[in-house]
Amino acid sequence: MTEHFPSATAPAAVRDTDRPPPPRFAYDRHTWKEIAHLLANLPASLLGFVYVVTMLSVGAFLTVTVIGFPLLAAGLLGARQLGRLERARARTLLGVRVDEPSPLPRRGAGGFLPRLWMALKDPVGWRTALYDFIRLPWGILTFTLTLTSLFVLWPVLPFIARGLANADRAMVRALLSPSDELERRIAELESDRGVVVDTAAADLRRIERDLHDGAQARLVNLAMGLGLAKEKLLEDPEYAAAMVDEAHGEVKLALQELRDLARGIHPAVLTDRGLDAALSSVASRCTVPVKVTVDLEARPAAAIEGIAYFTVSELLQNVSKHSAAKSASVDVWRTEERLLIQVADDGRGGAALDGGTGMRGLAERLGAVDGLFVVDSPAGGPTVVTAELPWRDRQR
């Protein structure tokens, strides 16, 4: 069995592609972008320096009054916006990919004073203020040296520009990046929480729609049919018996729809017997022969087990509907603290995360719980989908 996993070095590879080529005597677009950035350093650093000095001096002077601290907090919020502009300038001209820091929360901070204190101790605002404060001498140096070299040392200017631009890149990464890995993690969790909430709301709407259009409608018809049968019981017993038989059929259909709905919420076989039996049940309903292999010594947490079940169920539905495959396989195993799932088929391929809402929804669901979702489906097949979930022990 061939395993397909996302490379742990993928982010580094992406960063490598963002780096400009080595400097050389000939001028190219990277060199001209760096020169433009270095020449723009003077007006940008002058604006930042004047803003920071004015903000700090006025705010510090007025701290003896009531309005001093709010003005200082507002100044730090403005410094955040200057940092945003500097990151955009570095991204456009230097190719530096720096994540945007998480915004300060506007709600749930407990009132004006807690929000004021949060703004005053904002590390992003203070680091941006430090960046703008120390940039003026550097802006003057880079502007003067670059402008002079453009006329006097133009043959070696690409090397000079690259050295100065690398120093700029280092300052941007050091002072304008998010505070730390924890802040980036918080931003990811905030995004994942929105995905979880949207998914739960969509599931509730689906359940409500299925109940309203399916079992509820059948039960209403059943009640009406039994009422008519009751009225006809004495007048026309044979007709009443036929209506009761029809109502009995409606009851069976309603029960089947309720079972299907319950299976879609959380199948009983998954709760009672675990992933092996539950996935075998799903595979038996697939229109393509499916080989299921589950190699787990213990059962994961119920939430992880449920996500794994519905991921495989959705993927096998796609195999039935779209793959035109002759066979498929499902493999589930544990590697250290990760639960891995691989669903493969020998169909026509062409599946992609941007090909529809189904695959994208699965990727978002797994991402919300620190999972991964990788699709390898070249045109003509085969298709191999690998899902990875964090392993959490089941509570006894």
Side-chain angles (χ1 to χ4, degrees):
M1 179 180 61
T2 303
E3 299 179 7
H4 297 265
F5 302 105
S7 173
T9 60
V14 172
R15 288 193 296 269
D16 289 341
T17 59
D18 292 336
R19 294 175 182 172
R24 54 197 178 97
F25 287 103
Y27 287 79
D28 59 10
R29 63 185 181 89
H30 295 286
T31 301
W32 286 116
K33 283 185 176 182
E34 289 172 343
I35 292 173
H37 179 85
L38 295 172
L39 292 176
N41 271 349
L42 179 59
S45 61
L46 184 61
L47 173 64
F49 182 83
V50 171
Y51 175 83
V52 169
V53 170
T54 304
M55 178 265 293
L56 290 178
S57 58
V58 173
F61 179 76
L62 292 178
T63 51
V64 296
T65 67
V66 178
I67 63 172
F69 289 108
L71 281 177
L72 189 58
L76 290 173
L77 292 176
R80 268 180 166 258
Q81 302 308 311
L82 288 179
R84 182 187 297 273
L85 294 176
E86 283 296 303
R87 281 188 292 273
R89 186 166 73 99
R91 184 166 51 249
T92 302
L93 298 178
L94 298 181
V96 178
R97 314 279 181 192
V98 176
D99 294 334
E100 292 293 331
S102 302
L104 292 176
R106 297 182 180 180
R107 298 179 181 178
F112 173 74
L113 290 180
R115 287 199 298 271
L116 176 63
W117 175 242
M118 187 177 299
L120 288 174
K121 65 177 185 177
D122 175 27
V124 175
W126 284 110
R127 284 190 290 108
T128 305
L130 175 62
Y131 175 86
D132 288 324
F133 184 77
I134 65 176
R135 289 280 294 181
L136 183 58
W138 177 253
I140 296 173
L141 173 65
T142 56
F143 177 85
T144 304
L145 187 57
T146 303
L147 187 62
T148 303
S149 300
L150 192 60
F151 295 98
V152 179
L153 301 174
W154 60 268
V156 295
L157 178 56
F159 297 89
I160 297 174
R162 179 59 52 82
L164 297 176
N166 284 340
D168 263 326
R169 291 183 178 99
M171 279 189 276
V172 169
R173 292 192 179 102
L175 294 176
L176 298 183
S177 295
S179 295
D180 50 23
E181 185 63 29
L182 178 60
E183 182 173 346
R184 287 191 291 272
R185 181 68 182 137
I186 290 173
E188 292 176 1
L189 291 176
E190 288 176 348
S191 176
D192 292 343
R193 181 180 60 184
V195 172
V196 171
V197 170
D198 292 342
T199 301
D203 288 340
L204 287 175
R205 289 193 300 269
R206 176 182 60 81
I207 293 170
E208 181 182 10
R209 183 181 66 251
D210 291 345
L211 283 173
H212 182 271
D213 297 341
Q216 180 179 340
R218 291 194 180 278
L219 291 175
V220 170
N221 291 334
L222 173 63
M224 295 175 61
L226 289 176
L228 291 175
K230 182 179 178 181
E231 294 178 0
K232 297 290 186 179
L233 185 60
L234 296 178
E235 299 177 5
D236 191 350
E238 293 182 359
Y239 182 71
M243 296 186 69
V244 170
D245 288 338
E246 184 180 350
H248 185 246
E250 289 288 329
V251 169
K252 290 182 178 180
L253 291 174
L255 288 175
Q256 182 60 43
E257 288 181 354
L258 288 174
R259 289 193 193 97
D260 293 340
L261 183 60
R263 186 183 295 115
I265 297 173
H266 196 84
V269 65
L270 178 62
T271 303
D272 298 337
R273 300 174 57 190
L275 272 176
D276 196 352
L279 295 183
S280 297
S281 176
V282 171
S284 66
R285 298 194 297 271
C286 185
T287 59
V288 175
V290 181
K291 179 183 178 182
V292 178
T293 304
V294 178
D295 184 13
L296 297 176
E297 296 181 356
R299 295 178 63 177
I304 299 300
E305 197 174 57
I307 294 174
Y309 170 83
F310 287 111
T311 299
V312 174
S313 179
E314 182 73 21
L315 291 174
L316 289 182
Q317 286 185 27
N318 289 341
V319 171
S320 296
K321 295 178 181 178
H322 309 298
S323 70
K326 295 180 179 179
S327 64
S329 64
V330 176
D331 294 278
V332 181
W333 71 100
R334 178 182 178 180
T335 300
E336 296 180 353
E337 296 303 313
R338 307 293 284 182
L339 176 67
L340 291 108
I341 304 164
Q342 193 171 79
V343 179
D345 68 74
D346 58 359
R348 58 192 172 198
L353 290 178
D354 56 357
T357 59
M359 289 286 194
R360 186 167 60 250
L362 286 176
E364 290 175 349
R365 286 195 180 196
L366 268 68
V369 292
D370 286 343
L372 293 174
F373 189 79
V374 180
V375 179
D376 182 11
S377 182
T383 296
V384 179
V385 179
T386 303
E388 183 178 330
L389 289 164
W391 179 273
R392 295 172 189 166
D393 291 327
R394 195 178 190 87
Q395 299 297 322
R396 299 293 182 183

mmCIF file of all heavy atoms in Angstrom, residues 28-66:
data_model
loop_
_atom_site.group_PDB
_atom_site.id
_atom_site.type_symbol
_atom_site.label_atom_id
_atom_site.label_comp_id
_atom_site.label_asym_id
_atom_site.label_seq_id
_atom_site.Cartn_x
_atom_site.Cartn_y
_atom_site.Cartn_z
ATOM 1 N N ASP A 28 17.317 42.993 -12.886
ATOM 2 C CA ASP A 28 16.062 42.313 -13.194
ATOM 3 C C ASP A 28 14.961 42.932 -12.328
ATOM 4 O O ASP A 28 15.198 43.890 -11.578
ATOM 5 C CB ASP A 28 16.166 40.800 -12.981
ATOM 6 C CG ASP A 28 16.542 40.444 -11.549
ATOM 7 O OD1 ASP A 28 16.536 41.353 -10.691
ATOM 8 O OD2 ASP A 28 16.836 39.264 -11.280
ATOM 9 N N ARG A 29 13.750 42.362 -12.424
ATOM 10 C CA ARG A 29 12.615 42.984 -11.711
ATOM 11 C C ARG A 29 12.796 42.908 -10.207
ATOM 12 O O ARG A 29 12.348 43.810 -9.478
ATOM 13 C CB ARG A 29 11.311 42.308 -12.127
ATOM 14 C CG ARG A 29 11.197 40.847 -11.785
ATOM 15 C CD ARG A 29 9.918 40.246 -12.351
ATOM 16 N NE ARG A 29 9.771 38.843 -12.017
ATOM 17 C CZ ARG A 29 9.174 38.393 -10.923
ATOM 18 N NH1 ARG A 29 8.660 39.249 -10.061
ATOM 19 N NH2 ARG A 29 9.065 37.092 -10.692
ATOM 20 N N HIS A 30 13.449 41.863 -9.692
ATOM 21 C CA HIS A 30 13.687 41.778 -8.245
ATOM 22 C C HIS A 30 14.608 42.894 -7.776
ATOM 23 O O HIS A 30 14.385 43.514 -6.731
ATOM 24 C CB HIS A 30 14.283 40.411 -7.895
ATOM 25 C CG HIS A 30 13.367 39.262 -8.162
ATOM 26 N ND1 HIS A 30 12.280 38.975 -7.373
ATOM 27 C CD2 HIS A 30 13.368 38.332 -9.152
ATOM 28 C CE1 HIS A 30 11.652 37.913 -7.855
ATOM 29 N NE2 HIS A 30 12.285 37.508 -8.931
ATOM 30 N N THR A 31 15.637 43.162 -8.564
ATOM 31 C CA THR A 31 16.565 44.236 -8.203
ATOM 32 C C THR A 31 15.865 45.590 -8.210
ATOM 33 O O THR A 31 16.040 46.405 -7.285
ATOM 34 C CB THR A 31 17.751 44.258 -9.181
ATOM 35 O OG1 THR A 31 18.418 42.993 -9.135
ATOM 36 C CG2 THR A 31 18.728 45.354 -8.821
ATOM 37 N N TRP A 32 15.056 45.848 -9.233
ATOM 38 C CA TRP A 32 14.352 47.129 -9.295
ATOM 39 C C TRP A 32 13.348 47.268 -8.159
ATOM 40 O O TRP A 32 13.152 48.372 -7.619
ATOM 41 C CB TRP A 32 13.667 47.293 -10.647
ATOM 42 C CG TRP A 32 14.614 47.598 -11.772
ATOM 43 C CD1 TRP A 32 14.884 46.824 -12.858
ATOM 44 C CD2 TRP A 32 15.431 48.764 -11.894
ATOM 45 N NE1 TRP A 32 15.817 47.424 -13.660
ATOM 46 C CE2 TRP A 32 16.181 48.635 -13.098
ATOM 47 C CE3 TRP A 32 15.626 49.907 -11.116
ATOM 48 C CZ2 TRP A 32 17.085 49.585 -13.526
ATOM 49 C CZ3 TRP A 32 16.527 50.868 -11.549
ATOM 50 C CH2 TRP A 32 17.238 50.715 -12.739
ATOM 51 N N LYS A 33 12.700 46.178 -7.769
ATOM 52 C CA LYS A 33 11.786 46.236 -6.616
ATOM 53 C C LYS A 33 12.548 46.569 -5.333
ATOM 54 O O LYS A 33 12.080 47.361 -4.503
ATOM 55 C CB LYS A 33 11.050 44.909 -6.464
ATOM 56 C CG LYS A 33 9.920 44.701 -7.453
ATOM 57 C CD LYS A 33 9.178 43.397 -7.138
ATOM 58 C CE LYS A 33 7.983 43.217 -8.058
ATOM 59 N NZ LYS A 33 7.221 41.981 -7.729
ATOM 60 N N GLU A 34 13.706 45.952 -5.169
ATOM 61 C CA GLU A 34 14.504 46.246 -3.972
ATOM 62 C C GLU A 34 14.971 47.699 -3.976
ATOM 63 O O GLU A 34 14.967 48.369 -2.930
ATOM 64 C CB GLU A 34 15.688 45.287 -3.905
ATOM 65 C CG GLU A 34 15.291 43.858 -3.579
ATOM 66 C CD GLU A 34 16.442 42.879 -3.699
ATOM 67 O OE1 GLU A 34 17.459 43.230 -4.344
ATOM 68 O OE2 GLU A 34 16.323 41.770 -3.157
ATOM 69 N N ILE A 35 15.381 48.198 -5.135
ATOM 70 C CA ILE A 35 15.807 49.601 -5.221
ATOM 71 C C ILE A 35 14.645 50.526 -4.891
ATOM 72 O O ILE A 35 14.794 51.515 -4.143
ATOM 73 C CB ILE A 35 16.369 49.897 -6.629
ATOM 74 C CG1 ILE A 35 17.685 49.143 -6.845
ATOM 75 C CG2 ILE A 35 16.564 51.391 -6.836
ATOM 76 C CD1 ILE A 35 18.230 49.223 -8.252
ATOM 77 N N ALA A 36 13.454 50.210 -5.415
ATOM 78 C CA ALA A 36 12.285 51.041 -5.120
ATOM 79 C C ALA A 36 11.975 51.016 -3.625
ATOM 80 O O ALA A 36 11.623 52.046 -3.024
ATOM 81 C CB ALA A 36 11.085 50.546 -5.927
ATOM 82 N N HIS A 37 12.107 49.851 -3.004
ATOM 83 C CA HIS A 37 11.851 49.756 -1.562
ATOM 84 C C HIS A 37 12.850 50.599 -0.772
ATOM 85 O O HIS A 37 12.478 51.329 0.160
ATOM 86 C CB HIS A 37 11.944 48.296 -1.121
ATOM 87 C CG HIS A 37 11.720 48.100 0.352
ATOM 88 N ND1 HIS A 37 10.473 47.967 0.917
ATOM 89 C CD2 HIS A 37 12.600 48.044 1.391
ATOM 90 C CE1 HIS A 37 10.592 47.820 2.208
ATOM 91 N NE2 HIS A 37 11.874 47.863 2.538
ATOM 92 N N LEU A 38 14.127 50.513 -1.145
ATOM 93 C CA LEU A 38 15.151 51.257 -0.412
ATOM 94 C C LEU A 38 14.971 52.761 -0.589
ATOM 95 O O LEU A 38 15.194 53.537 0.363
ATOM 96 C CB LEU A 38 16.537 50.821 -0.898
ATOM 97 C CG LEU A 38 16.898 49.344 -0.600
ATOM 98 C CD1 LEU A 38 18.194 48.974 -1.302
ATOM 99 C CD2 LEU A 38 17.005 49.118 0.902
ATOM 100 N N LEU A 39 14.587 53.214 -1.786
ATOM 101 C CA LEU A 39 14.354 54.648 -1.985
ATOM 102 C C LEU A 39 13.118 55.129 -1.239
ATOM 103 O O LEU A 39 13.046 56.290 -0.811
ATOM 104 C CB LEU A 39 14.217 54.943 -3.491
ATOM 105 C CG LEU A 39 15.483 54.757 -4.324
ATOM 106 C CD1 LEU A 39 15.188 54.985 -5.804
ATOM 107 C CD2 LEU A 39 16.603 55.698 -3.852
ATOM 108 N N ALA A 40 12.114 54.229 -1.095
ATOM 109 C CA ALA A 40 10.897 54.603 -0.363
ATOM 110 C C ALA A 40 11.081 54.532 1.142
ATOM 111 O O ALA A 40 10.185 54.951 1.896
ATOM 112 C CB ALA A 40 9.741 53.694 -0.782
ATOM 113 N N ASN A 41 12.224 54.006 1.594
ATOM 114 C CA ASN A 41 12.455 53.906 3.038
ATOM 115 C C ASN A 41 12.454 55.279 3.711
ATOM 116 O O ASN A 41 11.972 55.424 4.835
ATOM 117 C CB ASN A 41 13.794 53.214 3.314
ATOM 118 C CG ASN A 41 13.642 51.709 3.416
ATOM 119 O OD1 ASN A 41 12.527 51.189 3.492
ATOM 120 N ND2 ASN A 41 14.759 50.998 3.423
ATOM 121 N N LEU A 42 13.017 56.296 3.025
ATOM 122 C CA LEU A 42 13.130 57.614 3.669
ATOM 123 C C LEU A 42 11.765 58.221 3.952
ATOM 124 O O LEU A 42 11.485 58.579 5.113
ATOM 125 C CB LEU A 42 13.986 58.546 2.814
ATOM 126 C CG LEU A 42 14.163 59.960 3.380
ATOM 127 C CD1 LEU A 42 14.807 59.904 4.759
ATOM 128 C CD2 LEU A 42 14.994 60.828 2.431
ATOM 129 N N PRO A 43 10.875 58.388 2.966
ATOM 130 C CA PRO A 43 9.565 58.961 3.313
ATOM 131 C C PRO A 43 8.766 58.081 4.268
ATOM 132 O O PRO A 43 8.076 58.602 5.163
ATOM 133 C CB PRO A 43 8.867 59.101 1.952
ATOM 134 C CG PRO A 43 9.592 58.198 1.024
ATOM 135 C CD PRO A 43 11.004 58.167 1.507
ATOM 136 N N ALA A 44 8.855 56.763 4.107
ATOM 137 C CA ALA A 44 8.096 55.883 4.993
ATOM 138 C C ALA A 44 8.625 55.968 6.419
ATOM 139 O O ALA A 44 7.843 56.044 7.380
ATOM 140 C CB ALA A 44 8.167 54.431 4.488
ATOM 141 N N SER A 45 9.942 55.938 6.588
ATOM 142 C CA SER A 45 10.513 56.009 7.938
ATOM 143 C C SER A 45 10.307 57.383 8.557
ATOM 144 O O SER A 45 10.110 57.504 9.778
ATOM 145 C CB SER A 45 12.003 55.663 7.894
ATOM 146 O OG SER A 45 12.702 56.583 7.067
ATOM 147 N N LEU A 46 10.339 58.430 7.743
ATOM 148 C CA LEU A 46 10.086 59.774 8.263
ATOM 149 C C LEU A 46 8.651 59.886 8.784
ATOM 150 O O LEU A 46 8.421 60.426 9.878
ATOM 151 C CB LEU A 46 10.341 60.806 7.167
ATOM 152 C CG LEU A 46 10.223 62.275 7.572
ATOM 153 C CD1 LEU A 46 11.233 62.616 8.650
ATOM 154 C CD2 LEU A 46 10.404 63.186 6.361
ATOM 155 N N LEU A 47 7.697 59.364 8.016
ATOM 156 C CA LEU A 47 6.308 59.380 8.461
ATOM 157 C C LEU A 47 6.136 58.582 9.749
ATOM 158 O O LEU A 47 5.506 59.043 10.706
ATOM 159 C CB LEU A 47 5.419 58.790 7.355
ATOM 160 C CG LEU A 47 3.940 58.567 7.720
ATOM 161 C CD1 LEU A 47 3.247 59.893 8.005
ATOM 162 C CD2 LEU A 47 3.223 57.812 6.595
ATOM 163 N N GLY A 48 6.722 57.385 9.810
ATOM 164 C CA GLY A 48 6.595 56.568 11.015
ATOM 165 C C GLY A 48 7.259 57.194 12.213
ATOM 166 O O GLY A 48 6.718 57.156 13.326
ATOM 167 N N PHE A 49 8.435 57.766 12.017
ATOM 168 C CA PHE A 49 9.150 58.383 13.134
ATOM 169 C C PHE A 49 8.370 59.557 13.710
ATOM 170 O O PHE A 49 8.219 59.682 14.933
ATOM 171 C CB PHE A 49 10.536 58.833 12.670
ATOM 172 C CG PHE A 49 11.378 59.442 13.739
ATOM 173 C CD1 PHE A 49 12.105 58.640 14.604
ATOM 174 C CD2 PHE A 49 11.441 60.823 13.888
ATOM 175 C CE1 PHE A 49 12.884 59.205 15.609
ATOM 176 C CE2 PHE A 49 12.223 61.396 14.890
ATOM 177 C CZ PHE A 49 12.942 60.590 15.750
ATOM 178 N N VAL A 50 7.886 60.441 12.828
ATOM 179 C CA VAL A 50 7.116 61.599 13.301
ATOM 180 C C VAL A 50 5.862 61.135 14.044
ATOM 181 O O VAL A 50 5.517 61.670 15.110
ATOM 182 C CB VAL A 50 6.755 62.512 12.111
ATOM 183 C CG1 VAL A 50 5.771 63.603 12.549
ATOM 184 C CG2 VAL A 50 8.005 63.139 11.518
ATOM 185 N N TYR A 51 5.187 60.141 13.515
ATOM 186 C CA TYR A 51 3.967 59.650 14.170
ATOM 187 C C TYR A 51 4.274 59.088 15.548
ATOM 188 O O TYR A 51 3.596 59.410 16.525
ATOM 189 C CB TYR A 51 3.298 58.579 13.304
ATOM 190 C CG TYR A 51 2.104 57.950 13.967
ATOM 191 C CD1 TYR A 51 0.857 58.564 13.918
ATOM 192 C CD2 TYR A 51 2.226 56.762 14.670
ATOM 193 C CE1 TYR A 51 -0.243 57.998 14.556
ATOM 194 C CE2 TYR A 51 1.133 56.180 15.313
ATOM 195 C CZ TYR A 51 -0.098 56.800 15.241
ATOM 196 O OH TYR A 51 -1.175 56.247 15.880
ATOM 197 N N VAL A 52 5.302 58.237 15.638
ATOM 198 C CA VAL A 52 5.608 57.578 16.916
ATOM 199 C C VAL A 52 6.072 58.598 17.953
ATOM 200 O O VAL A 52 5.636 58.571 19.111
ATOM 201 C CB VAL A 52 6.662 56.479 16.697
ATOM 202 C CG1 VAL A 52 7.196 55.971 18.039
ATOM 203 C CG2 VAL A 52 6.058 55.320 15.920
ATOM 204 N N VAL A 53 6.958 59.495 17.563
ATOM 205 C CA VAL A 53 7.449 60.494 18.520
ATOM 206 C C VAL A 53 6.312 61.385 18.998
ATOM 207 O O VAL A 53 6.180 61.673 20.197
ATOM 208 C CB VAL A 53 8.581 61.326 17.879
ATOM 209 C CG1 VAL A 53 8.928 62.520 18.768
ATOM 210 C CG2 VAL A 53 9.807 60.462 17.672
ATOM 211 N N THR A 54 5.460 61.809 18.068
ATOM 212 C CA THR A 54 4.316 62.648 18.460
ATOM 213 C C THR A 54 3.363 61.877 19.357
ATOM 214 O O THR A 54 2.908 62.387 20.397
ATOM 215 C CB THR A 54 3.576 63.136 17.205
ATOM 216 O OG1 THR A 54 4.491 63.824 16.343
ATOM 217 C CG2 THR A 54 2.433 64.063 17.592
ATOM 218 N N MET A 55 3.066 60.651 18.993
ATOM 219 C CA MET A 55 2.134 59.847 19.773
ATOM 220 C C MET A 55 2.661 59.584 21.169
ATOM 221 O O MET A 55 1.946 59.750 22.167
ATOM 222 C CB MET A 55 1.860 58.534 19.045
ATOM 223 C CG MET A 55 0.943 57.556 19.770
ATOM 224 S SD MET A 55 1.838 56.299 20.746
ATOM 225 C CE MET A 55 2.636 55.362 19.443
ATOM 226 N N LEU A 56 3.937 59.191 21.284
ATOM 227 C CA LEU A 56 4.489 58.874 22.598
ATOM 228 C C LEU A 56 4.646 60.118 23.461
ATOM 229 O O LEU A 56 4.337 60.098 24.659
ATOM 230 C CB LEU A 56 5.850 58.181 22.428
ATOM 231 C CG LEU A 56 5.816 56.751 21.861
ATOM 232 C CD1 LEU A 56 7.225 56.214 21.694
ATOM 233 C CD2 LEU A 56 5.018 55.834 22.787
ATOM 234 N N SER A 57 5.119 61.208 22.864
ATOM 235 C CA SER A 57 5.340 62.414 23.666
ATOM 236 C C SER A 57 4.022 63.006 24.151
ATOM 237 O O SER A 57 3.883 63.346 25.340
ATOM 238 C CB SER A 57 6.128 63.447 22.851
ATOM 239 O OG SER A 57 5.424 63.780 21.655
ATOM 240 N N VAL A 58 3.057 63.126 23.248
ATOM 241 C CA VAL A 58 1.758 63.681 23.654
ATOM 242 C C VAL A 58 1.063 62.752 24.630
ATOM 243 O O VAL A 58 0.520 63.189 25.661
ATOM 244 C CB VAL A 58 0.876 63.932 22.413
ATOM 245 C CG1 VAL A 58 -0.534 64.344 22.837
ATOM 246 C CG2 VAL A 58 1.494 65.006 21.528
ATOM 247 N N GLY A 59 1.064 61.454 24.333
ATOM 248 C CA GLY A 59 0.411 60.509 25.241
ATOM 249 C C GLY A 59 1.059 60.486 26.601
ATOM 250 O O GLY A 59 0.375 60.477 27.632
ATOM 251 N N ALA A 60 2.402 60.446 26.647
ATOM 252 C CA ALA A 60 3.098 60.419 27.934
ATOM 253 C C ALA A 60 2.889 61.718 28.702
ATOM 254 O O ALA A 60 2.715 61.712 29.928
ATOM 255 C CB ALA A 60 4.587 60.174 27.708
ATOM 256 N N PHE A 61 2.881 62.854 27.985
ATOM 257 C CA PHE A 61 2.688 64.140 28.658
ATOM 258 C C PHE A 61 1.294 64.248 29.266
ATOM 259 O O PHE A 61 1.120 64.818 30.351
ATOM 260 C CB PHE A 61 2.922 65.275 27.654
ATOM 261 C CG PHE A 61 2.716 66.644 28.240
ATOM 262 C CD1 PHE A 61 3.667 67.206 29.079
ATOM 263 C CD2 PHE A 61 1.557 67.365 27.952
ATOM 264 C CE1 PHE A 61 3.449 68.472 29.622
ATOM 265 C CE2 PHE A 61 1.345 68.623 28.485
ATOM 266 C CZ PHE A 61 2.303 69.189 29.328
ATOM 267 N N LEU A 62 0.297 63.696 28.558
ATOM 268 C CA LEU A 62 -1.084 63.826 29.024
ATOM 269 C C LEU A 62 -1.524 62.695 29.944
ATOM 270 O O LEU A 62 -2.698 62.628 30.320
ATOM 271 C CB LEU A 62 -2.028 63.883 27.820
ATOM 272 C CG LEU A 62 -1.915 65.137 26.946
ATOM 273 C CD1 LEU A 62 -2.863 65.044 25.756
ATOM 274 C CD2 LEU A 62 -2.212 66.396 27.763
ATOM 275 N N THR A 63 -0.605 61.793 30.307
ATOM 276 C CA THR A 63 -1.003 60.727 31.234
ATOM 277 C C THR A 63 -1.352 61.263 32.612
ATOM 278 O O THR A 63 -1.976 60.550 33.414
ATOM 279 C CB THR A 63 0.125 59.692 31.371
ATOM 280 O OG1 THR A 63 1.355 60.364 31.681
ATOM 281 C CG2 THR A 63 0.272 58.870 30.106
ATOM 282 N N VAL A 64 -0.938 62.498 32.901
ATOM 283 C CA VAL A 64 -1.327 63.105 34.182
ATOM 284 C C VAL A 64 -2.793 63.515 34.163
ATOM 285 O O VAL A 64 -3.353 63.849 35.208
ATOM 286 C CB VAL A 64 -0.432 64.317 34.491
ATOM 287 C CG1 VAL A 64 1.019 63.877 34.675
ATOM 288 C CG2 VAL A 64 -0.521 65.374 33.398
ATOM 289 N N THR A 65 -3.405 63.496 32.991
ATOM 290 C CA THR A 65 -4.822 63.850 32.874
ATOM 291 C C THR A 65 -5.623 62.595 32.556
ATOM 292 O O THR A 65 -5.083 61.494 32.399
ATOM 293 C CB THR A 65 -5.036 64.899 31.774
ATOM 294 O OG1 THR A 65 -4.737 64.303 30.504
ATOM 295 C CG2 THR A 65 -4.120 66.097 31.986
ATOM 296 N N VAL A 66 -6.930 62.765 32.417
ATOM 297 C CA VAL A 66 -7.807 61.628 32.163
ATOM 298 C C VAL A 66 -7.634 61.099 30.750
ATOM 299 O O VAL A 66 -7.753 59.896 30.503
ATOM 300 C CB VAL A 66 -9.283 62.039 32.415
ATOM 301 C CG1 VAL A 66 -10.237 60.888 32.103
ATOM 302 C CG2 VAL A 66 -9.456 62.506 33.847
#
